[in-house]
Amino acid sequence: MPKDDVYIIEMLKEKKGNEFLVKWEYYSEEENSWEPKSSIPDYILQFYEEDLTRLGTPAPAEPVEDDEETFEVENILEKRIVKGKKIEYLIKWKNYDGPDDNTWEPADTLVGAGDIIKSFENNFEIEKEKEKEEAKLKKANENNDKKQTKIRIVENTGKVNGEVKDDKIEETKKEKSNSKKNKAVPVQEDVYTVEALMEKKGSKYLVKWENFPENENSWEPKSS
């Protein structure tokens, strides 16, 4: 039961214009009331207005005013997720320039740093997408370089863009020279064999390599 006539805000539940629906500590839901912003302590208003999704969660404790030093967030350096869902940020504190002064802090404790968190999250997503694209490009280049070491094309008949092609194409430049001299060409470990030509685009063909999956297909010029 409430003591004397002291009313303590347990939480703000809803917002309508310049008023908030207040749940009072020690009082039932039926006693909730709409109160103007002017009657609500600043530290509570700041907590909810900074992020309206906090409505319905307990109000923050009243800050204790003492001689302790105040820490202000200057920048966010990194992000991590602990215990599967809790977000923490590595904080660079204003006026603290040593690397050892940076600390990991839970996201829900960084009151007043909403804009800094939003800016960091936007840049974080951009960098993450950029890293994914760079990784894909690197893998594609590695696969292409690997196939270009040596290509051996054997006889194959297929249909490309509706045209029937008699693909009697002899090996690489080195193997062409050897075939003219009627010399047998030994198959080495790094030889790639064409299984089928899948598509044609200009002077290039989409090659299906024998013993390689579909995602290893590559476009090759007629000269190869």
Side-chain angles (χ1 to χ4, degrees), residues 72-163:
E72 182 179 348
V73 176
E74 179 178 316
N75 197 12
I76 296 176
L77 305 177
E78 293 182 38
K79 173 185 176 180
R80 70 183 182 186
I81 299 178
V82 296
K83 297 182 179 179
K85 60 181 180 179
K86 187 176 182 180
I87 298 175
E88 292 186 349
Y89 295 104
L90 182 60
I91 304 301
K92 163 68 173 66
W93 301 102
K94 191 172 183 178
N95 300 322
Y96 289 84
D97 300 323
D100 293 339
D101 294 324
N102 302 335
T103 59
W104 287 98
E105 302 294 335
D108 55 6
T109 64
L110 301 175
V111 178
D115 290 341
I116 296 178
I117 292 175
K118 184 177 180 180
S119 176
F120 172 83
E121 287 292 348
N122 289 338
N123 292 331
F124 182 79
E125 290 300 321
I126 292 173
E127 288 299 320
K128 189 162 63 172
E129 289 300 319
K130 184 178 178 181
E131 288 175 3
K132 287 182 180 179
E133 291 301 320
E134 290 177 348
K136 288 181 181 178
L137 181 60
K138 182 179 179 182
K139 184 177 180 180
N141 288 337
E142 288 175 351
N143 290 337
N144 190 53
D145 290 343
K146 181 180 178 182
K147 289 173 183 171
Q148 292 299 327
T149 56
K150 192 173 185 182
I151 302 174
R152 180 174 181 270
I153 304 178
V154 297
E155 181 176 317
N156 180 63
T157 300
K159 182 176 287 188
V160 180
N161 288 343
E163 298 178 3

Side-chain angles (χ1 to χ4, degrees), residues 171-192:
E171 302 92 2
T172 58
K173 289 182 179 180
K174 179 178 178 181
E175 291 172 324
K176 286 180 180 179
S177 176
N178 289 338
S179 65
K180 290 179 181 179
K181 298 177 183 179
N182 297 320
K183 293 183 179 180
V185 180
V187 179
Q188 301 178 6
E189 291 183 359
D190 58 353
V191 171
Y192 292 82

Side-chain angles (χ1 to χ4, degrees), residues 53-67:
T53 62
R54 293 172 177 169
L55 289 170
T57 63
E62 183 176 3
V64 178
E65 296 183 5
D66 51 30
D67 296 331

Side-chain angles (χ1 to χ4, degrees), residues 183-224:
K183 293 183 179 180
V185 180
V187 179
Q188 301 178 6
E189 291 183 359
D190 58 353
V191 171
Y192 292 82
T193 304
V194 170
E195 180 179 322
L197 301 182
M198 310 299 291
E199 297 180 34
K200 180 182 179 184
K201 186 183 292 183
S203 60
K204 292 185 177 182
Y205 291 90
L206 180 61
V207 179
K208 169 67 174 66
W209 300 101
E210 189 172 64
N211 299 323
F212 281 82
E214 291 289 340
N215 60 8
E216 296 290 337
N217 295 355
S218 64
W219 289 95
E220 304 296 337
K222 292 172 64 176
S223 59
S224 67

